[in-house]
């Protein structure tokens, strides 16, 4: 859908916020903390941004975008080409980072990774929680002033010094950990909380250097069997053969192309599924994930 940028403003050094509304004033779809939307910026350029406003406000979606001068082009497009009163194509919301019920939460954010976590804090008001928020200087940390109202529940690390080892040893086993930020922070968190209590949000693809081999896919709705060579993705093969599958990022980060797996084991290469979800082998993202054997049966 086309949404109107009603406000564009600077949140921190190198970070702009966009407020998005329906041009006709219609209500926007509901969302919960952790949700993101896709901005379709131009042909072949779609990026995912977390919603960081108030879920109760059905008139406005707010996103925040940090400029990455050496990034993949999405943030440069937003910063250089989008202004108030422009319209932009938006799809979603989707949520692969939902806040699950728990008595205690540990939130860890690095830089722009604060955006999906910010609305979680109000949603977790009845639980015990703390936020540890790191950045590269106070001026670069969006929402810093807003977070001051939470007092000592929030610890800022404007010049580094976030000690994940200390945090890992200081919390009860039933604490859920939510972490978003640069890949180095996510990998460090995954090393310290290897179990199901850790939830992370990625907006860049994992570094995938695993060997790619060919395999077959059986499509149960049509009875067709297609071969996926080592140099093509399942999504590309489906498209080549006229099978319509919704897709967006093509990097395993947005969740649009999720497909039910009826048989076979999956070589998961996405940035979305939890370890338990991967072990179930009942769903996959066909833009990046592959077969762990010689055949997969898909609900297509």
């Amino acid at each position: 859908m086309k949404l109107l940028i009603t406000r564009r403003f600077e949140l921190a050094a190198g970070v702009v916020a966009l407020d998005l509304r329906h041009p006709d004033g219609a209500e926007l779809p509901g969302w919960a903390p952790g949700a993101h939307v896709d901005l379709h910026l131009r042909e072949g350029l779609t990026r995912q941004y977390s919603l960081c406003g108030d879920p109760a406000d059905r008139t406005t979606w707010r996103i925040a975008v940090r400029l990455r001068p050496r990034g993949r082009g999405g943030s440069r497009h937003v910063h250089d080409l989008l202004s108030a009163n422009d319209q932009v194509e938006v799809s979603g919301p989707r949520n692969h980072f939902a806040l699950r019920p728990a008595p205690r939460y540990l939130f860890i954010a690095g830089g722009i990774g604060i955006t999906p976590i910010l609305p979680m804090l109000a949603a977790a008001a009845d639980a015990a929680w703390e936020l540890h928020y790191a950045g590269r200087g106070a001026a670069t940390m969006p929402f810093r002033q807003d977070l001051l109202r939470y007092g000592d529940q929030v610890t800022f690390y404007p010049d580094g010094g976030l000690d994940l080892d200390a945090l890992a040893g200081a919390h009860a086993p039933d604490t859920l950990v939510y972490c978003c930020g640069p890949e180095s922070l996510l990998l460090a968190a995954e090393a310290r909380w290897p179990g199901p209590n850790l939830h992370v949000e990625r907006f860049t693809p994992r570094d995938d250097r695993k060997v790619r081999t060919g395999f077959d896919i059986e499509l149960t709705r049509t009875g067709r069997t297609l071969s996926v060579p080592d140099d093509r993705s399942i999504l590309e093969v489906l498209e080549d053969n006229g099978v319509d599958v919704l897709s967006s990022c093509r990097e395993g980060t947005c969740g649009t192309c999720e497909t039910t797996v009826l048989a076979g084991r999956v070589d998961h290469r996405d940035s979305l599924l939890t370890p338990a979800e991967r072990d179930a082998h009942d769903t996959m993202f066909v833009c990046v994930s592959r077969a762990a054997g010689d055949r997969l049966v898909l609900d297509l």
Side-chain angles (χ1 to χ4, degrees):
M1 59 183 164
K2 285 281 189 181
L3 295 184
L4 179 68
I5 301 172
T6 58
R7 186 182 178 207
R8 181 187 188 277
F9 60 99
E10 186 173 287
L11 275 174
V15 180
V16 297
L18 302 180
D19 283 354
L20 308 170
R21 292 193 175 201
H22 196 285
D24 299 330
E27 280 196 344
L28 298 173
W31 62 281
H36 70 265
V37 294
D38 296 347
L39 262 63
H40 304 272
L41 301 169
R42 56 173 168 77
E43 183 67 29
L45 185 63
T46 299
R47 293 292 180 263
Q48 294 74 46
Y49 298 106
S50 295
L51 292 170
C52 54
D54 179 2
D57 183 358
R58 296 289 296 275
T59 67
T60 305
W61 285 346
R62 175 171 292 174
I63 62 170
V65 181
R66 180 181 297 284
L67 177 62
R68 302 186 186 279
R70 293 180 294 277
R72 297 171 295 155
S75 68
R76 175 64 70 185
H77 185 106
V78 171
H79 276 250
D80 291 353
L81 300 177
L82 295 185
S83 303
N85 299 316
D86 287 345
Q87 290 194 9
V88 62
E89 184 73 24
V90 183
S91 60
R94 287 188 299 278
N95 199 338
H96 295 280
F97 195 47
L99 186 67
R100 300 182 181 180
R104 282 169 285 276
Y105 298 99
L106 171 61
F107 299 109
I108 303 170
I112 198 64
I114 190 62
T115 51
I117 289 174
L118 185 69
M120 292 183 177
L121 305 183
D126 293 334
W129 64 265
E130 58 188 74
L131 165 65
H132 295 261
Y133 180 17
R136 296 181 179 178
T140 71
M141 299 171 71
F143 303 110
R144 191 172 188 276
Q145 288 299 121
D146 297 323
L147 291 166
L148 293 176
R149 70 178 184 270
Y150 291 114
D152 60 7
Q153 286 179 279
V154 179
T155 303
F156 298 98
Y157 304 84
D159 300 306
L162 177 58
D163 188 344
L164 293 186
D165 287 329
L167 292 179
H171 290 84
D174 59 353
T175 301
L176 293 191
V177 183
Y178 282 79
C179 181
C180 186
E183 184 68 8
S184 57
L185 175 65
L186 302 183
L187 291 174
E190 288 172 336
R192 288 159 178 82
W193 289 278
N197 283 10
L198 176 67
H199 304 272
V200 302
E201 177 86 313
R202 282 182 167 88
F203 288 108
T204 56
R206 290 176 181 269
D207 182 13
D208 178 17
R209 300 179 184 177
K210 294 187 289 186
V211 173
R212 291 161 57 111
T213 57
F215 54 93
D216 290 337
I217 53 173
E218 180 183 338
L219 313 183
T220 58
R221 297 186 194 179
T222 63
R224 300 172 69 187
T225 296
L226 303 175
S227 293
V228 181
D230 58 10
D231 61 345
R232 303 284 283 169
S233 70
I234 295 176
L235 178 61
E236 290 170 333
V237 169
L238 292 171
E239 291 175 335
D240 290 347
N241 286 273
V243 181
D244 187 23
V245 177
L246 290 176
S247 66
S248 180
C249 72
R250 296 176 178 262
E251 297 177 333
T253 60
C254 75
T256 306
C257 67
E258 186 168 8
T259 300
T260 298
V261 179
L262 301 176
R265 294 180 61 80
V266 182
D267 176 8
H268 293 287
R269 304 188 181 204
D270 64 274
S271 302
L272 296 164
L273 296 178
T274 66
E277 290 168 336
R278 289 169 178 251
D279 289 343
H281 294 281
D282 59 2
T283 192
M284 71 183 301
F285 299 96
V286 294
C287 63
V288 291
S289 295
R290 304 182 67 80
D294 58 8
R295 189 177 186 84
L296 286 173
V297 180
L298 305 180
D299 184 19
L300 290 172

